[in-house]
Amino acid sequence: MKVKIIPILSDNYSYLIIDKENKFCSAVDPASPEEIIPFLEKEKIGLKNILNTHYHSDHTAGNLELKDKFKCKIYGPDKEKDQIPGIDVALKENDTLKINDYSVKIFETPGHTAGHIIYWFEKEKVVFTGDTLFVLGCGKLFEGTPEIMWNSLLKIRNLPKKTQIYCGHEYSKNNADFALSVEKNNNKLIERSDEINKLINENSFTVPTTLEKEIECNPFLRADVDNIKKNLEMENASPVEVFGEIRTKKDIF
Ligand code: ZN
Ligand code: FE
């Protein structure tokens, strides 16, 4: 599966899933047409589908212009269909669809927004997580409680460990610094943070990450891990309480 990473706006990631013959693609959250169209024109690639993860404008602001130009079909969350410009297909939990020739399953992952969805390419083991899960981080809880978001993150955590994760923003450096503030005695995290700093110094992308790496290092997927609970002096707290505490700490980090 060919995924072209296109950094857009100040720190967003948009992705193009390109077919084998390089003739057409599907775009995940292509919010900035002026940063996407030049690539498509240069490579002579058409745009068939837009896959939106949630309604925020840094993910959907390109919809109408791109639809007008390429006549593409726009997919987005059913619960946010009134806020997704130009939406054609509204998606719900467990819906399946064909994108290029891939079969894709939808998970609803509320928390950042109430209707947020993620796109799981089952056979290829690739997931586009939008603003639900980031490299070493998770989205802010604008429209959800810690419990809602924790349950959304568990859906991702239950995918196969080899899963490649493409997220909606490049926040990895700040997330790594924060993760170390919660779990500086996690050797895997220390290594991962070094790796991220190296990538950023080389001007490389820090995506995709893998679910295995995130399970080992991302504090937001580790709210039920003893080491984290101990570090936060929350040994007797529930995972939701620990998750909520980590999220609150991150909000003021
Ligand atoms: Zn967002
Ligand atoms: Fe965003």
Side-chain angles (χ1 to χ4, degrees):
M1 179 169 162
K2 205 151 104 193
V3 180
K4 164 83 180 164
I5 302 169
I6 305 200
I8 59 168
L9 308 173
S10 57
D11 51 30
N12 280 76
Y13 278 126
S14 177
Y15 302 104
L16 303 179
I17 302 152
I18 303 174
D19 83 307
K20 289 188 191 85
E21 278 85 42
N22 286 311
K23 288 213 172 86
F24 67 89
C25 71
S26 302
V28 180
D29 290 343
S32 177
E34 65 265 37
E35 295 175 276
I36 286 157
I37 293 171
F39 172 81
L40 296 175
E41 286 184 338
K42 189 171 138 259
E43 303 291 325
K44 298 191 174 62
I45 296 175
L47 177 61
K48 246 192 193 171
N49 308 295
I50 289 178
L51 311 180
N52 285 143
T53 58
H54 64 298
Y55 71 88
H56 286 161
S57 64
D58 59 314
H59 300 257
T60 58
N63 282 11
L64 295 182
E65 186 181 335
L66 291 168
K67 188 174 183 174
D68 189 52
K69 188 173 168 68
F70 293 98
K71 312 292 169 221
C72 54
K73 207 175 197 181
I74 300 178
Y75 296 80
D78 182 67
K79 292 198 170 110
E80 297 176 357
K81 60 175 184 274
D82 297 335
Q83 294 140 287
I84 307 270
I87 192 168
D88 297 295
V89 184
L91 299 166
K92 292 188 174 126
E93 178 84 359
N94 286 324
D95 278 352
T96 53
L97 53 141
K98 281 259 183 255
I99 290 296
N100 300 10
D101 274 328
Y102 306 118
S103 108
V104 181
K105 192 170 164 187
I106 301 304
F107 293 105
E108 292 179 346
T109 57
H112 177 70
T113 65
H116 196 296
I117 57 171
I118 61 173
Y119 294 85
W120 162 236
F121 288 64
E122 215 154 358
K123 214 162 131 240
E124 292 69 30
K125 298 192 171 41
V126 170
V127 67
F128 295 91
T129 58
D131 289 0
T132 298
L133 183 75
F134 299 126
V135 175
L136 297 182
C138 79
K140 282 194 176 152
L141 306 190
F142 291 126
E143 299 175 9
T145 61
E147 185 174 10
I148 289 170
M149 187 59 137
W150 174 246
N151 286 322
S152 294
L153 291 173
L154 289 181
K155 290 185 190 175
I156 300 175
R157 200 173 72 172
N158 285 333
L159 296 173
K161 287 226 170 92
K162 288 200 304 201
T163 299
Q164 305 238 336
I165 300 173
Y166 290 89
C167 63
H169 288 267
E170 175 55 62
Y171 293 153
S172 309
K173 161 81 181 132
N174 180 268
N175 286 346
D177 292 347
F178 172 74
L180 282 169
S181 79
V182 182
E183 213 183 8
K184 58 178 181 298
N185 56 345
N186 176 344
N187 289 330
K188 291 255 162 75
L189 172 59
I190 294 167
E191 273 171 43
R192 180 78 174 121
S193 170
D194 289 345
E195 186 187 358
I196 283 167
N197 282 311
K198 199 169 152 262
L199 288 168
I200 288 171
N201 289 334
E202 290 168 353
N203 254 322
S204 304
F205 306 127
T206 63
V207 285
T209 179
T210 65
L211 183 57
E212 182 166 29
K213 287 183 189 179
E214 295 308 310
I215 287 173
E216 288 169 348
C217 303
N218 186 330
F220 296 98
L221 292 181
R222 294 170 60 76
D224 52 0
V225 171
D226 284 342
N227 194 43
I228 291 246
K229 289 168 130 183
K230 224 167 130 206
N231 287 354
L232 294 172
E233 295 175 17
M234 294 181 80
E235 278 103 329
N236 298 318
S238 70
V240 169
E241 287 167 333
V242 176
F243 175 79
E245 176 64 17
I246 301 170
R247 190 56 257 178
T248 302
K249 279 188 166 10
K250 178 69 168 73
D251 288 339
I252 53 169
F253 181 70

